[in-house]
Amino acid sequence: MKVDGTRHISIIVEKVQTEIIRYTIQLWIVKDRQIKPYGTGLFCSIQGIYFIFSAGHVLEYLKENESEQLFIKIGNEYTNVLGEIRFLLDKESKLDFGYIRLDKKMKDCLNEYYVSLQVSQTSDFSHDLGVMSFGILGFSEVDFLDKENPLSSFASFYLTDLAKDSVYKYYGFDKEHFIITNAKGKGRDLNKGWDDSIIKMPSHFHGISGGGLWYFTVDLSGNLNYKLIGLMTEYRKGKHFCFIALRIGFVLGLINDIEKIEIQ
């Protein structure tokens, strides 16, 4: 089946704007008496239990600084996040995962504005298929802030492709637990639509840690389908400019082991 590349990308962007953005939460903290962008999380539910998944280094700071409070936006209001924080960090294996098991009081609050991702909407991706079928969505701390209103930042979305095996070897990541994609080219401001002019890639990607890595496919009827395949943990700008994500199957396995939740 032949796919029109421009239309394919525009359909992906539409899905991001209308559906994927609703699984994605911007995290905020109060610092120097001001509320500031802090990172990204994914709103997920497993067997009726609600979580915000993120990178371990994002939640480590909150655990070690218990006086700090984490906030999320519900409409135009900031709401304090209630729940139990856990994170797993290991330099040798490069494990960098964290999550908040949300207090039951947060369920109705979050469901007013966001949609919780289900396990059926994830995939333990293991096939090297296609170009421009992978996308990363997250909230940058700096580059995409509204200059006139610092409390009105917005998400950035990057279409990308898979890195070669040599990149895994160079940075010391195993393909069993990680997915690496290339960081290159330019992007677009999704708030202004597909027809907006191309913008430069940001100077850094701080803040997108904890965002999702998504895989997009087109079926025989021309319908676009998507699955969450990874959780962003970091980027590298050395010899190889790339994004790095934990495989979602590995993440769900960790949740199963820690929380003793049967994941089907």
Side-chain angles (χ1 to χ4, degrees):
M1 174 182 175
K2 188 175 181 179
V3 177
D4 182 310
T6 300
R7 174 155 176 75
H8 178 61
I9 294 172
S10 67
I11 293 172
I12 288 176
V13 169
E14 182 182 358
K15 284 287 186 182
V16 170
Q17 291 174 312
T18 58
E19 297 181 25
I20 293 177
I21 190 65
R22 299 196 67 194
Y23 308 124
T24 309
I25 296 178
Q26 184 168 27
L27 307 177
W28 302 75
I29 60 170
V30 174
K31 199 167 186 178
D32 301 326
R33 299 184 179 181
Q34 290 185 332
I35 192 161
K36 296 182 178 181
Y38 180 62
T40 305
L42 286 173
F43 182 37
C44 306
S45 62
I46 305 172
Q47 301 290 0
I49 300 172
Y50 288 80
F51 299 88
I52 294 177
F53 290 170
S54 191
H57 70 266
V58 171
L59 298 180
E60 178 188 31
Y61 173 81
L62 294 170
K63 193 72 173 180
E64 294 182 348
N65 297 271
E66 295 185 356
S67 61
E68 299 280 2
Q69 291 185 314
L70 183 68
F71 294 87
I72 59 174
K73 249 184 165 180
I74 306 293
N76 294 319
E77 301 294 326
Y78 292 89
T79 301
N80 186 214
V81 178
L82 303 176
E84 182 180 352
I85 294 174
R86 291 191 175 181
F87 60 90
L88 301 167
L89 291 167
D90 184 83
K91 289 184 178 180
E92 184 176 349
S93 68
K94 297 181 173 59
L95 175 61
D96 185 352
F97 171 59
Y99 65 92
I100 305 169
R101 179 168 174 160
L102 294 167
D103 188 286
K104 292 180 180 179
K105 298 175 184 177
M106 297 295 301
K107 174 183 174 182
D108 293 336
C109 177
L110 279 166
N111 280 330
E112 287 182 18
Y113 197 72
Y114 300 97
V115 175
S116 61
L117 190 75
Q118 307 297 309
V119 173
S120 61
Q121 294 170 288
T122 69
S123 174
D124 193 13
F125 175 81
S126 59
H127 302 287
D128 186 355
L129 298 173
V131 178
M132 299 297 285
S133 293
F134 301 85
I136 296 165
L137 181 67
F139 290 89
S140 174
E141 288 181 6
V142 177
D143 292 85
F144 294 104
L145 291 180
D146 184 328
K147 305 305 180 185
E148 296 181 2
N149 180 7
L151 299 185
S152 183
S153 61
F154 51 90
S156 48
F157 178 69
Y158 310 97
L159 280 169
T160 183
D161 54 359
L162 295 178
K164 296 179 179 179
D165 288 354
S166 58
V167 179
Y168 289 81
K169 184 176 180 180
Y170 182 81
Y171 287 122
F173 287 91
D174 69 86
K175 294 186 74 172
E176 182 180 354
H177 297 127
F178 296 92
I179 300 173
I180 301 180
T181 62
N182 295 309
K184 57 186 179 182
K186 299 181 180 181
R188 293 179 184 267
D189 176 354
L190 297 188
N191 277 3
K192 296 180 180 178
W194 175 244
D195 292 330
D196 183 48
S197 59
I198 292 174
I199 60 176
K200 294 180 179 179
M201 291 288 271
S203 59
H204 65 69
F205 298 91
H206 301 333
I208 69 166
S209 292
L213 172 61
W214 304 85
Y215 177 58
F216 301 90
T217 58
V218 177
D219 63 26
L220 294 176
S221 299
N223 299 313
L224 181 77
N225 303 299
Y226 61 85
K227 296 282 188 179
L228 177 72
I229 60 171
L231 189 70
M232 300 308 304
T233 59
E234 60 179 300
Y235 69 96
R236 298 289 178 95
K237 291 186 72 173
K239 180 178 179 180
H240 303 285
F241 193 9
C242 60
F243 297 110
I244 298 159
L246 276 174
R247 289 181 175 273
I248 193 61
F250 181 44
V251 166
L252 293 175
L254 293 172
I255 292 292
N256 180 72
D257 291 343
I258 298 168
E259 297 292 338
K260 309 303 181 187
I261 300 172
E262 184 179 353
I263 299 176
Q264 300 176 341

